Amino acid sequence: MKKISICVIGSGSLATSLAKILAHNAVLLPHVEDRVNIFVYDELYNDVPLGDIINSRHVNEKYLPMIELPENLVACTDMVETAKLADVIVFAIPRHCILVTCNILMGKIKPNAMAISVIEGFSLKENGEIQLISQEIVKSLKIPCGVLMSVNLANEVALDRYCEATLGCRDLKNIKLYKDLFSAPKFRLTVIDDVECVEVCGFLKHMIAFASGLLDGLETNENTKSACLRFGLIEMIRFIDVFYPGCKLSTFFESCGIADVMTVCRSSRNRRLGEIVVKTGHTVVHLEKQLMGGEMILGTMTVKAVNYMIQQKGLQNKFPLFSTLYNICENKSKPEDLLNSIISNPNIIYHPTKLRPL
């Protein structure tokens, strides 16, 4: 029987952490090739090519120092060579690199390969609406694409601390394969068939983290932050219900849902940005230029894209929290207005196809 070959596109901390798990499992699974390729950009670290460091010292000193990597994890600086024989291609690159990456790989990979995206974020369609990364991969490479999202911080995965992840895929015949490849004693993987919900949760959560940071900056009480979290989750469910119909409510109770929202509300760049907005009095745009080198972080990027879609359908009144966050990002409202939005938010009961006020 022909063995399955795996590769990882990307060499950042998360890419390397997952590659470590994949390489460790590869040597244990008789139906999987021992060698796991990882694509590394042709860059220097301390005047030495990073790929050479990984292959000779078995450590990614730039992105995941002090974590020993399996010897069967092989760094390659040629993307096509990395992926051309792979049956499973894991994409773990910055979201803005996905189109260029797909263009490089187009027509150069196995036609029956399968992709897994761990990329948080999205692209934008020409009309300004959200284009899911998994959809970009399917459209460009003509192969199926699953999505892996989780509550995990990359260093915690690499340090073998308990973590969870949710993998959404459309073809459940691959459940066992994915569980075999990605599972570890302290890394629990759940595979479900709700791809779009898993992926959309992966970026909507950062809006709630930004809101949580604003409340931290305002030094609000814990009950206020809990209420914000609750209303934020309700609006996440409603947004997905409106724009991605067919998704399952149960997915929000997987690690990609409530657990992930709680994690980023405690520790993420998006939470920190919200707090700094309040404490400095500067605008979001100013702080992104000053602190992020002009990069729009995922939370504020999502706020703007989500509200564009909401406005196109005239549903602003159905998303009071999201709309308030948008006005704060656009400097049309003050952070204090978030408190008013929470206090005046109507009580809502969720139903499978609609949300109704009590």
Side-chain angles (χ1 to χ4, degrees):
M1 183 178 68
K2 190 178 183 304
K3 292 188 175 183
I4 294 169
S5 178
I6 313 162
C7 80
V8 177
I9 304 298
S11 58
S13 56
L14 180 58
T16 306
S17 297
L18 291 174
K20 177 188 174 188
I21 292 175
L22 292 167
H24 175 76
N25 286 336
V27 297
L28 301 176
L29 298 169
H31 57 291
V32 177
E33 291 282 358
D34 286 356
R35 172 170 169 157
V36 174
N37 288 339
I38 180 170
F39 170 70
V40 180
Y41 288 102
D42 193 8
E43 59 178 316
L44 299 178
Y45 182 74
N46 291 336
D47 297 324
V48 180
L50 183 59
D52 290 351
I53 294 174
I54 293 173
N55 289 335
S56 61
R57 305 175 194 171
H58 306 294
V59 62
N60 186 337
E61 292 187 355
K62 181 173 182 179
Y63 298 106
L64 205 66
M66 309 306 294
I67 301 298
E68 184 178 356
L69 302 175
E71 293 186 10
N72 61 312
L73 181 62
V74 180
C76 308
T77 55
D78 185 314
M79 188 183 297
V80 173
E81 287 297 315
T82 302
K84 70 179 183 180
L85 298 178
D87 299 290
V88 178
I89 305 172
V90 179
F91 289 89
I93 55 178
R95 59 184 178 273
H96 61 268
C97 297
I98 191 61
L99 285 179
V100 173
T101 299
C102 286
N103 286 336
I104 292 172
L105 295 177
M106 197 179 300
K108 308 288 179 56
I109 60 174
K110 287 184 174 182
N112 60 343
M114 299 177 293
I116 299 292
S117 170
V118 298
I119 303 169
E120 289 188 355
F122 51 87
S123 302
L124 291 174
K125 299 178 183 178
E126 290 183 2
N127 64 0
E129 293 185 358
I130 287 169
Q131 173 78 61
L132 300 182
I133 298 296
S134 64
Q135 293 173 347
E136 293 277 13
I137 294 171
V138 171
K139 180 180 176 182
S140 298
L141 300 181
K142 306 292 189 288
I143 60 175
C145 182
V147 175
L148 189 151
M149 296 289 159
S150 64
V151 303
N152 308 310
L153 301 174
N155 63 323
E156 292 188 359
V157 178
L159 290 170
D160 198 29
R161 295 173 180 170
Y162 178 77
C163 300
E164 294 182 317
T166 308
L167 195 157
C169 69
R170 288 181 174 83
D171 191 346
L172 293 183
K173 73 179 183 182
N174 294 315
I175 285 181
K176 186 177 187 308
L177 172 63
Y178 291 143
K179 279 186 169 288
D180 286 345
L181 292 178
F182 287 96
S183 294
K186 294 184 181 179
F187 187 84
R188 175 182 292 182
L189 181 74
T190 303
V191 183
I192 61 177
D193 62 351
D194 199 2
V195 182
E196 289 183 339
C197 192
V198 172
E199 185 165 6
V200 177
C201 283
F203 54 80
L204 289 183
K205 67 186 180 187
H206 293 298
M207 296 174 63
I208 315 305
F210 177 68
S212 181
L214 292 171
L215 295 177
D216 283 340
L218 293 168
E219 298 182 354
T220 59
N221 63 321
E222 292 301 320
N223 278 321
T224 301
K225 287 189 283 187
S226 295
C228 180
L229 176 65
R230 184 170 74 88
F231 289 130
L233 283 166
I234 289 172
E235 292 193 18
M236 282 177 63
I237 294 171
R238 167 170 275 182
F239 181 83
I240 292 175
D241 202 29
V242 171
F243 293 98
Y244 302 93
C247 291
K248 300 175 181 178
L249 180 61
S250 59
T251 300
F252 291 92
F253 297 93
E254 299 291 351
S255 62
C256 64
I258 293 173
D260 216 349
V261 174
M262 293 172 62
T263 300
V264 295
C265 284
R266 290 195 299 267
S267 176
S268 73
R269 292 198 307 167
N270 299 280
R271 191 214 65 80
R272 289 194 295 274
L273 178 64
E275 185 175 18
I276 294 170
V277 165
V278 176
K279 290 188 173 179
T280 64
H282 292 309
T283 65
V284 169
V285 173
H286 173 82
L287 290 172
E288 285 177 333
K289 287 181 179 178
Q290 191 174 60
L291 302 178
M292 311 295 178
E295 176 191 357
M296 182 185 290
I297 69 169
L298 189 51
T300 54
M301 179 181 173
T302 304
V303 165
K304 294 182 179 182
V306 162
N307 276 272
Y308 173 82
M309 294 171 67
I310 290 170
Q311 289 170 11
Q312 289 298 105
K313 287 187 176 287
L315 295 175
Q316 296 93 315
N317 64 324
K318 300 295 184 181
F319 296 90
L321 188 71
F322 287 1
S323 297
T324 300
L325 291 176
Y326 173 74
N327 288 331
I328 292 171
C329 287
E330 293 294 297
N331 207 30
K332 297 176 181 178
S333 296
K334 297 179 179 179
E336 291 82 358
D337 291 328
L338 179 60
L339 290 173
N340 296 329
S341 176
I342 293 169
I343 292 170
S344 62
N345 208 306
N347 289 324
I348 294 174
I349 293 177
Y350 180 78
H351 291 272
T353 57
K354 65 179 181 178
L355 294 167
R356 64 173 185 176
L358 282 171

